[in-house]
Amino acid sequence: MWDAMPELPEVEVTRLGFADRIQGARIRSARVGKPLRWALGCDPALLAGRRVLSVGRRGKYLLVALDAGLLLVHLGMSGRLRFDRDLPAPGAHDHFDLDTDHGTLRLHDPRRFGAVVFAESADDPVARKLLGRLGVEPLDDSFDAAGFFLALRRRKSPVKQVLLAGDVVVGVGNIYASEALFAAGIRPTTPAAQLSRPRADRLHTAVRTVLARAVATGGSTLRDFRGADGAHGLFQQEAMVYGREGLPCRICGTPIRMLRQGQRSTFYCPHCQKA
DNA sequence: AAAAGCCCCTGGATGC
DNA sequence: TGCATCCAGGGGCTTT
């Protein structure tokens, strides 16, 4: 099976699992373990004494707003956040601890593709670099069908890769890209610009539906994804195509196929997704 | 501007 | 049983 692969729903479920509890907390200290994708960008000692105002999200980044500055947290592909009182001593894969008077926020990330980055503000060059070219939030009203269609029309790449790129719409990772295209009945290899308005509309709806449903059911769990409160996600059992190569399509029984697109695996049903 | 490829990392699966 | 090898993937970066 696979490790947890945090996409937007997993990040959002994580956020919901600790945002309320950490709000208003006073930071006592911060501990940095092995290097993550990027350096923290400040002396951890400088975080002591600051207060956590709120926890937001932009794409797959969690934004921990402090009374001075903010922390950008990315889970990469194997990252998990916990927030609890009296956590055990950090293990080999616990690479960041934020100790507060409400509990400790801990990043556990075996593959270290994740990151915790400090920025002075949202206008900080570091924040701009990481958040600057992100596409629209799929669950916001700003993700509208007309705009989506126009954005797709400018892209000749296969629609799967456009979804994954994150500059049109954020948060759709490898799992939900396949799932959304299946839900829309669109073949992943179809050039984005070739989609008619009605088909783009179907994809727009599918992206929202698949992601919203995944959030509602607690996030995907292709191995053992858990929210920051330790609850298991339940979406796993509902994958229609992802990871099901050779297995019968749940709708028509045709064997699911896998192909490679930009070094990523894509799954689809050749019958339900004809074009 | 858009597209394509590279690379970071390590646990798990596979092959000999 | 132990090794070596391959693979997964988010996404910023570089090159075309």
Side-chain angles (χ1 to χ4, degrees), chain A residues 150-161:
Chain A
L150 288 177
L152 293 180
R153 257 202 338 196
R154 274 183 252 116
R155 307 291 286 269
K156 294 177 180 171
S157 304
V159 60
K160 156 79 175 345
Q161 286 170 258

Side-chain angles (χ1 to χ4, degrees), chain A residues 7 160 163-164 172-182 203:
Chain A
E7 302 189 19
K160 156 79 175 345
L163 285 180
L164 215 48
V172 186
N174 209 39
I175 299 171
Y176 297 117
S178 281
E179 294 298 313
L181 286 164
F182 176 82
L203 183 56

